[in-house]
Amino acid sequence: MIKKEKYIVTGMTCASCAARIEKNLSKLSGVKFAQVNLATEKATIEFDEKIAEEKDLLRLVENLGYHIEKEENLTQNAELNIFGMTCAACSTRVEKALQKIPGVRKASVNLASGKAKIFFDPAPDRPQTMIEVIEKIGYHAEVAQNHEPDREQVLREHERKKLKNLFVISALLSAPLFFAMLDMWFHLELKFLHNFYFQLALATPVQFIIGARFYKKAYLTLKALSPGMDVLVALGTSAAYFFSVYQGIIQGHELYFEAAAIIITLILLGKFLEEVAKGKTSEAIRKLIGLQPKTARVIRGGVETDIPLTQVLAGDQIIVRPGEKIPVDGLILTGNSAVDESMLTGESMPVEKAPGDTVIGATINKNGSFTFKATKIGRDTVLSQIIKVVEEAQESKAPIQKLADQVSGIFVPVVLGVALLTLSGWYFIAGDLNGGIIAAVAVLVIACP
């Protein structure tokens, strides 16, 4: 049987070290494939267990003067739920922050699912350290519980409602400012809409109460020397707001309050729609988890007892009556029945089961009663493995997404640089500070997500 394993190799100092290990492993009888990466200090080996034993592979590398150990023995992994990410730059920022933590070997952050998967050297306080680092750069994080999406769903629903309410209030306050802009185009003669104090009263709560979240995030990202999209929003809208205040007090015309208020309103709408879309990405997993029964009827000490599914142990004898879902994977001991396995195979016809046959958790017992022995529980069941595959598929990144993450990492500093150059050009070349401010604000506003 061909087996594929990954190992950590230490002691390599140059490319020839990696090549030497590869060459010697490839010569060993039974080894089908060997690849050693100097940069990551990892080795991937495929070998036939009937011909080559794992201990022989390890001994060979040790005899060459290097230390080798299974990757799973040296690293642990943790999964975190991260709240507050709004764009690719956010996920890139979190990923970089996690990778800077000593002992973290790999970190992958998925914006759509709002999850981070981290591989790290064993340490009792490592997950808490990761959470503290994420909190420092302006996001909220907590350890994800295995297949328990209820809390995550509640938090996401709370965020959706909050964003919806903020958007509605912001839209109501911004609407008169929008109509003031239309009045300038179509000459509707609604003069009260252009009153400086009227517009100031509408724009101020949008800018500093509803838009407070952008200022907070901008401060935290700047503090971490990693400016994100929130910096663009805060700078762009603040420039438009304060320039309007200056214009209104000093010159009494050309107000731009509507630009700041409408940008904040539209960004809130975008964030709300994004939260709705994020909720749908985990819907498939929630449906799969929903297939599992909540309890199992086990025989312990000769007594039938209903217990939570999480308390079922391998080797427990479980009774399943007609119409009930089978709680875990197992082997039938007594009784006969027909089991609906359509959730697994797609086959609509029930499958006849007799003593000695295997049954799969979450399938439905039809017309008979039987007792079976639990052989696979928790993460080892077929359904849990399916859920794991779906989760890994959601967490993986396409090559184009990796490119987008790289671009987003430098996007904000580049935009800030372009805005500064625009302002400088207008002021030093054209000698027009007002025009320069308007042009620089336009750059920031257009770049807002």
Side-chain angles (χ1 to χ4, degrees):
M1 180 180 175
I2 302 298
K3 188 177 182 181
K4 183 178 180 180
E5 293 287 357
K6 291 187 177 183
Y7 303 88
I8 300 292
V9 182
T10 54
M12 298 186 293
T13 57
C14 59
S16 62
C17 295
R20 188 180 304 115
I21 296 171
E22 265 186 29
K23 185 177 179 180
N24 282 274
L25 284 171
S26 299
K27 286 180 180 179
L28 196 65
S29 178
V31 175
K32 305 296 182 183
F33 172 80
Q35 183 181 59
V36 181
N37 189 305
L38 173 65
T40 60
E41 296 188 328
K42 290 184 180 181
T44 303
I45 308 171
E46 288 184 16
F47 59 96
D48 191 333
E49 287 184 298
K50 294 181 180 178
I51 303 174
E53 290 189 23
E54 188 174 37
K55 62 181 181 180
D56 295 330
L57 306 178
L58 303 182
R59 189 184 302 115
L60 172 65
V61 177
E62 294 283 353
N63 290 339
L64 290 172
Y66 307 97
H67 179 67
I68 182 171
E69 193 167 342
K70 259 191 179 180
E71 186 176 26
E72 61 189 39
N73 294 339
L74 287 175
T75 60
Q76 295 178 341
N77 67 80
E79 192 173 272
L80 303 178
N81 289 325
I82 301 176
F83 304 93
M85 295 190 298
T86 57
C87 61
C90 295
S91 58
T92 303
R93 189 177 307 111
V94 174
E95 209 167 89
K96 286 181 178 179
L98 288 170
Q99 287 171 344
K100 288 179 181 177
I101 300 173
V104 172
R105 293 184 175 271
K106 181 183 177 184
S108 176
V109 180
N110 188 287
L111 173 65
S113 62
K115 291 183 182 294
K117 193 160 190 178
I118 309 105
F119 295 87
F120 55 93
D121 296 333
D125 62 340
R126 194 82 71 194
Q128 185 58 38
T129 302
M130 296 172 190
I131 291 172
E132 289 172 0
V133 167
I134 293 170
E135 299 274 358
K136 281 182 181 177
I137 58 173
Y139 306 94
H140 175 64
E142 59 182 36
V143 177
Q145 301 298 320
N146 295 325
H147 309 331
E148 293 183 8
D150 293 343
R151 173 167 167 74
E152 180 186 349
Q153 191 176 355
V154 168
L155 289 171
R156 292 199 183 282
E157 184 61 31
H158 173 72
E159 181 65 13
R160 278 195 291 272
K161 287 181 179 178
K162 183 179 179 181
L163 284 170
K164 183 180 178 181
N165 292 336
L166 287 174
F167 165 69
V168 170
I169 296 169
S170 184
L172 291 174
L173 292 171
S174 301
L177 300 174
F178 176 71
F179 287 120
M181 182 176 63
L182 292 180
D183 183 46
M184 292 175 62
W185 294 347
F186 299 109
H187 306 291
L188 302 176
E189 299 300 327
L190 301 173
K191 292 184 179 180
F192 75 96
L193 292 177
H194 301 280
N195 182 274
F196 168 70
Y197 295 103
F198 175 72
Q199 291 199 11
L200 181 67
L202 292 173
T204 300
V206 175
Q207 185 70 37
F208 298 109
I209 299 176
I210 296 173
R213 60 193 295 132
F214 302 114
Y215 285 103
K216 181 181 177 183
K217 285 278 185 68
Y219 167 73
L220 291 170
T221 55
L222 285 172
K223 186 180 176 182
L225 301 178
S226 181
M229 293 294 182
D230 294 294
V231 173
L232 292 182
V233 177
L235 277 178
T237 58
S238 295
Y241 176 87
F242 287 111
F243 188 62
S244 298
V245 172
Y246 168 78
Q247 290 284 85
I249 294 174
I250 305 300
Q251 299 186 15
H253 61 86
E254 292 186 15
L255 304 178
Y256 299 96
F257 286 120
E258 79 283 347
I262 291 172
I263 286 169
I264 289 175
T265 302
L266 292 177
I267 290 173
L268 287 172
L269 174 60
K271 291 184 183 297
F272 169 69
L273 295 175
E274 187 177 38
E275 281 297 320
V276 172
K278 282 181 182 178
K280 290 182 179 178
T281 61
S282 57
E283 190 174 342
I285 293 176
R286 285 201 299 271
K287 286 182 177 179
L288 285 171
I289 295 171
L291 295 173
Q292 294 176 320
K294 302 297 183 185
T295 61
R297 185 174 294 102
V298 301
I299 302 174
R300 289 181 179 173
V303 179
E304 294 183 19
T305 309
D306 286 335
I307 61 172
L309 189 63
T310 54
Q311 294 180 13
V312 174
L313 304 175
D316 275 343
Q317 291 189 19
I318 302 172
I319 298 175
V320 183
R321 294 185 293 201
E324 292 182 339
K325 285 185 178 180
I326 298 169
V328 294
D329 299 358
L331 195 69
I332 293 181
L333 300 175
T334 60
N336 295 272
S337 185
V339 176
D340 180 359
E341 296 183 340
S342 58
M343 78 92 186
L344 183 67
T345 64
E347 174 57 58
S348 58
M349 294 295 292
V351 180
E352 295 294 329
K353 298 289 184 178
D357 290 339
T358 58
V359 288
I360 305 299
T363 55
I364 302 172
N365 181 33
K366 283 293 186 180
N367 51 22
S369 181
F370 61 87
T371 301
F372 76 99
K373 182 175 75 172
T375 56
K376 292 181 179 179
I377 60 171
R379 288 189 169 193
D380 297 328
T381 64
V382 170
L383 181 61
S384 292
Q385 293 301 311
I386 293 172
I387 293 171
K388 182 182 177 183
V389 169
V390 174
E391 287 178 336
E392 288 176 350
Q394 287 188 349
E395 290 165 5
S396 62
K397 292 185 179 181
I400 190 66
Q401 188 177 351
K402 293 178 181 177
L403 176 61
D405 288 348
Q406 291 174 351
V407 172
S408 66
I410 62 171
F411 178 73
V412 174
V414 168
V415 170
L416 294 175
V418 171
L420 185 60
L421 284 174
T422 303
L423 176 62
S424 301
W426 274 81
Y427 180 68
F428 292 110
I429 297 174
D432 185 355
L433 179 59
N434 281 357
I437 292 173
I438 293 170
V441 170
V443 171
L444 294 172
V445 166
I446 290 169
C448 285

